[in-house]
Amino acid sequence: MNDNPETPAPAQLFAPAPPPSAPKSPKLGRVAMIMAICVISLSVLASVLQGLFGTTLRTYSTGSSAGFNLHPDQGWFGIQMLLGSVFGIWALTQGIVAVAQNRGRRNGIVAIVLAGAAPIVSLIVWMALGFAFGHHVQG
């Protein structure tokens, strides 16, 4: 042991651990999930209404083939696509950021899944109801 006060202290081999950071707020993921729930709910509701009341099913038959075409009411369908795309992309992007920054990771994952599934589910609902209840026209 060295009792000399002028002797330097031994060098530290490791840097001290940084202080723990404050937990990040999960609000970003929660808002993304709420937005995604609204997007999928309203998109499916719009598809139900479009399929029941705003779809024309045109069937045709020629000498060599037969088939059908589903035609939605263009105005309402365009509004549904525009609003669904804007808010769906917003929910998807916000969910990805929430997952990447660990700011409500579980809710962000739910937002990603719901926002990604919304257009597919809406299309299936619209097509099924359009076939079943659409205005049938021979063309």
Side-chain angles (χ1 to χ4, degrees), residues 55-106:
T55 301
T56 302
L57 177 65
R58 294 190 176 124
T59 56
Y60 63 88
S61 178
T62 63
S64 61
S65 66
F68 60 88
N69 290 322
L70 278 176
H71 294 279
D73 179 20
Q74 297 298 315
W76 289 111
F77 198 69
I79 290 170
Q80 176 190 2
M81 287 185 58
L82 177 67
L83 292 176
S85 296
V86 168
F87 290 111
I89 291 171
W90 175 18
L92 182 66
T93 304
Q94 193 167 348
I96 291 170
V97 171
V99 170
Q101 293 182 354
N102 198 15
R103 294 174 58 191
R105 179 165 281 173
R106 289 182 186 155

Side-chain angles (χ1 to χ4, degrees), residues 45-55 125-126 128-130 132-135:
L45 175 65
S47 291
V48 166
L49 295 174
Q50 185 74 20
L52 291 176
F53 305 114
T55 301
V125 167
W126 169 69
L129 292 175
F133 299 105
H135 178 69

Side-chain angles (χ1 to χ4, degrees), residues 14-25:
F14 301 103
S21 61
K24 296 180 180 177
S25 172

